[in-house]
Amino acid sequence: MGSLQFLICISVLTASVFIAVLFSKFLNDGYSEKAFNQKVDSVEAQCRWLGNQVVGVDFILNDNSNTLSSQTNDLAASMNGRIIIIKKNYKIIKDTHTDFQGKYFLNRDVLRIMKGKEERVVNEKGNYIEIMCPIYSAGSEGDEVLGVVIATVPREDLMAASIEMNQRRNMLLVAFIVFGLAFAMVVSYLLTKDLRKIQKDVDFIAMGHEDESIEETGFLEIRRIVSRFNEILTRMQVLEDSRKEFVSNVSHELKTPMTSMKVLADSLLQQGDQVPAELYREFMSDMVKEIDRENVIISDLLSLVKMDKKASKLEISNVDINELLQIIMKRLKPIAAQRNIELIFESFRPVTAEIDEVKLTLALSNLIENGIKYNKDNGWVRVSVNADHKYFYVKVADAGVGIPEDCQDRVFDRFYRVDKARSRDTGGTGLGLAITQNAVLMHKGEIKLYSKLGEGTTFTVRIPLKYNA
């Protein structure tokens, strides 16, 4: 693709030239027609005057008897043409070229004028224009036609004004094209001025200044594009910050168990050979817990990688959602029984959907397990399933501690934990909800959170019944 400025310049110039040519053509055609008609009218007036003079001398044009014959010759010479006068008997009584003097002449146009059917006949014959008009008996129209005056004049004499007009038009057209070119260059420069500034800002950002933004300027459409571009830059910055935070959190989470194990191992080494069996078993038990904790973190990280919606493929099959939820709750029931938490299942209708059973099982398990972990003793977790013609809905509600309002926007972030101390006690890594959200998004679904501190939390999942890849 070429330059936008060049394209605008060419477009404006083309439009300007087209309008100029079209306007000049209409103007020239109109002027040429008007000039032609004026010349024809002038010749006709002279012919009618000559006809009146011929009637006055009773059609006697002998050069020896009067001067009308010489006047006719002079008139023809002034027209640079030829004059023929025909009497009513179709005899030529005067021909300024003397070729047909005294002969008879008759054609269709002459006949129509003699019969009073035409007031004027104009014929174009090559480079000449032929004009015929009647001679009346009393010199006024409407009386008996006594003859015909035929004047033949060169076309170029009639069109002289038009030719001059054409020359002036061509000069004006050239001037207009030059002006149009200058105008097109100015317009294209002004229209692309803001785009050049945006290009300069984008180049500056591309050099590594991602924290900068582009000034919104110019036309409304350009400002909208710039606004959306700035939003993308902001999102990219947020993603970059999230990536850095994620790497930092991963490093911290993996380093903490290893540090603990190192401290325990060093303590055992410092005891020498006289380590009591009870202390040895206690330290080894703590080390096993730290290893288990690191295994959980690594497993969750691997699950999160597998949930990457850009890299992972879903194994879609028809699954009974009611049965799937009952299996999950049955597996988690022993964990809930340890704190006397009641698990309640509500099914409003049988639901079968096209899903990846493994990934969605992991997502729903995380939601229900979180409802159990972050609950109160003797509390409850209610899981319900419903559907309409397009989606199925899973709601997981608990009577637990709730989530503060200022933390609700970040609970799906990787490694984010509302209460870090409590999460460590429950074995949480801060990856469960991130895994759940990724799994739901992979199914073209949506997850929403409703929570109030001290009153519990509700997660609502909406997923299409038919998977559309």
Side-chain angles (χ1 to χ4, degrees):
M1 295 295 289
S3 167
L4 178 60
Q5 182 176 354
F6 177 75
L7 182 61
I8 294 175
C9 182
I10 292 298
S11 300
V12 174
L13 178 60
T14 303
S16 301
V17 172
F18 176 76
I19 293 173
V21 171
L22 197 63
F23 177 75
S24 63
K25 183 179 184 305
F26 285 142
L27 184 63
N28 184 71
D29 290 348
Y31 179 82
S32 298
E33 183 179 358
K34 184 177 180 180
F36 177 81
N37 291 333
Q38 287 178 345
K39 288 292 184 179
V40 170
D41 291 341
S42 175
V43 173
E44 179 189 0
Q46 291 174 313
C47 290
R48 290 187 184 277
W49 173 84
L50 182 59
N52 292 335
Q53 299 301 314
V54 170
V55 172
V57 297
D58 197 21
F59 286 87
I60 298 174
L61 296 177
N62 191 317
D63 292 338
N64 297 324
S65 60
N66 56 52
T67 60
L68 186 57
S69 179
S70 61
Q71 290 178 346
T72 303
N73 291 331
D74 293 340
L75 181 60
S78 68
M79 293 180 181
N80 196 24
R82 179 182 185 180
I83 295 178
I84 299 175
I85 300 175
I86 303 174
K87 201 173 180 181
K88 187 175 182 180
N89 60 358
Y90 301 105
K91 183 179 181 179
I92 298 175
I93 63 171
K94 179 65 178 177
D95 182 359
T96 56
H97 284 190
T98 69
D99 294 342
F100 299 141
Q101 185 81 34
K103 296 181 180 180
Y104 291 88
F105 180 79
L106 175 65
N107 65 13
R108 183 178 59 182
D109 293 329
V110 171
L111 184 61
R112 290 178 63 83
I113 289 179
M114 288 292 191
K115 291 183 178 181
K117 294 182 178 180
E118 296 289 348
E119 286 295 325
R120 182 180 78 176
V121 174
V122 179
N123 294 320
E124 298 184 22
K125 296 184 177 181
N127 295 326
Y128 291 88
I129 305 296
E130 184 182 72
I131 303 168
M132 301 180 183
C133 59
I135 301 174
Y136 292 105
S137 59
S140 60
E141 297 182 8
D143 292 327
E144 182 183 0
V145 177
L146 299 179
V148 177
V149 178
I150 302 175
T152 304
V153 295
R155 172 186 286 274
E156 61 182 11
D157 289 352
L158 290 179
M159 302 301 293
S162 178
I163 294 172
E164 183 180 356
M165 179 65 180
N166 275 334
Q167 294 175 347
R168 293 183 179 179
R169 182 198 69 170
N170 292 336
M171 293 176 60
L172 184 62
L173 188 59
V174 171
F176 197 92
I177 290 175
V178 174
F179 171 78
L181 177 61
F183 178 74
M185 293 177 65
V186 171
V187 170
S188 62
Y189 175 81
L190 293 177
L191 289 179
T192 57
K193 180 180 179 181
D194 295 325
L195 292 177
R196 287 194 300 274
K197 183 180 181 304
I198 292 173
Q199 179 65 50
K200 183 178 179 181
D201 292 342
V202 170
D203 291 340
F204 181 73
I205 293 173
M207 292 172 61
H209 304 86
E210 292 88 357
D211 55 339
E212 298 291 334
S213 61
I214 302 176
E215 180 184 358
E216 297 183 18
T217 184
F219 297 102
L220 176 61
E221 292 78 6
I222 296 178
R223 292 202 302 271
R224 287 177 176 173
I225 293 174
V226 171
S227 176
R228 298 299 294 173
F229 187 80
N230 286 335
E231 289 181 12
I232 294 173
L233 287 177
T234 302
R235 292 180 183 177
M236 290 176 60
Q237 190 61 41
V238 171
L239 288 175
E240 178 63 17
D241 293 341
S242 176
R243 183 188 66 83
K244 292 177 180 178
E245 183 181 2
F246 175 72
V247 173
S248 175
N249 289 336
V250 168
S251 301
H252 175 74
E253 293 295 335
L254 293 178
K255 184 179 180 181
T256 301
M258 296 180 68
T259 301
S260 299
M261 287 187 288
K262 185 177 185 303
V263 170
L264 292 171
D266 288 341
S267 299
L268 286 176
L269 290 174
Q270 291 174 4
Q271 295 293 329
D273 297 334
Q274 305 298 322
V275 180
E278 294 78 6
L279 182 61
Y280 184 82
R281 282 194 296 269
E282 180 183 351
F283 276 30
M284 291 303 295
S285 176
D286 291 339
M287 292 175 68
V288 168
K289 289 180 180 178
E290 293 299 330
I291 293 173
D292 290 340
R293 182 182 166 199
E294 189 158 351
N295 281 333
V296 170
I297 295 173
I298 294 173
S299 297
D300 283 349
L301 284 173
L302 291 175
S303 298
L304 196 58
V305 171
K306 292 179 181 179
M307 289 293 180
D308 189 341
K309 59 182 179 180
K310 294 182 180 179
S312 179
K313 293 183 179 180
L314 297 180
E315 300 294 334
I316 300 297
S317 61
N318 281 316
V319 177
D320 186 331
I321 304 300
N322 304 68
E323 182 180 356
L324 176 65
L325 288 170
Q326 288 176 335
I327 293 173
I328 294 173
M329 295 178 70
K330 183 177 181 180
R331 188 175 71 246
L332 295 175
K333 193 171 183 180
I335 301 176
Q338 294 176 1
R339 299 174 56 201
N340 196 29
I341 295 175
E342 182 182 8
L343 295 181
I344 306 168
F345 178 67
E346 294 179 340
S347 175
F348 292 91
R349 58 178 51 82
V351 178
T352 301
E354 296 178 355
I355 63 168
D356 185 315
E357 184 174 0
V358 175
K359 291 182 174 60
L360 196 59
T361 297
L362 180 59
L364 296 177
S365 296
N366 284 337
L367 290 180
I368 300 173
E369 189 172 359
N370 280 352
I372 296 172
K373 289 180 178 179
Y374 303 105
N375 211 319
K376 301 174 183 178
D377 293 342
N378 304 313
W380 52 265
V381 176
R382 180 180 289 107
V383 181
S384 62
V385 59
N386 201 351
D388 55 24
H389 69 286
K390 191 174 181 180
Y391 300 96
F392 74 89
Y393 305 86
V394 176
K395 182 184 293 185
V396 179
D398 64 62
V401 296
I403 301 173
E405 187 174 351
D406 58 342
C407 298
Q408 294 180 14
D409 291 337
R410 299 199 58 194
V411 293
F412 294 105
D413 294 348
R414 299 170 181 181
F415 287 110
Y416 183 80
R417 290 175 294 200
V418 177
D419 186 343
K420 293 181 173 56
R422 183 177 177 88
S423 296
R424 292 185 184 277
D425 293 339
T426 57
T429 62
L431 295 173
L433 289 179
I435 294 172
T436 298
Q437 185 184 49
N438 274 17
V440 172
L441 293 178
M442 289 175 67
H443 286 83
K444 314 296 182 183
E446 181 183 28
I447 182 169
K448 291 184 178 180
L449 163 66
Y450 307 91
S451 183
K452 192 171 182 180
L453 192 61
E455 297 183 8
T457 302
T458 300
F459 286 93
T460 302
V461 176
R462 185 191 73 176
I463 295 177
L465 294 170
K466 301 290 184 180
Y467 179 74
N468 183 9

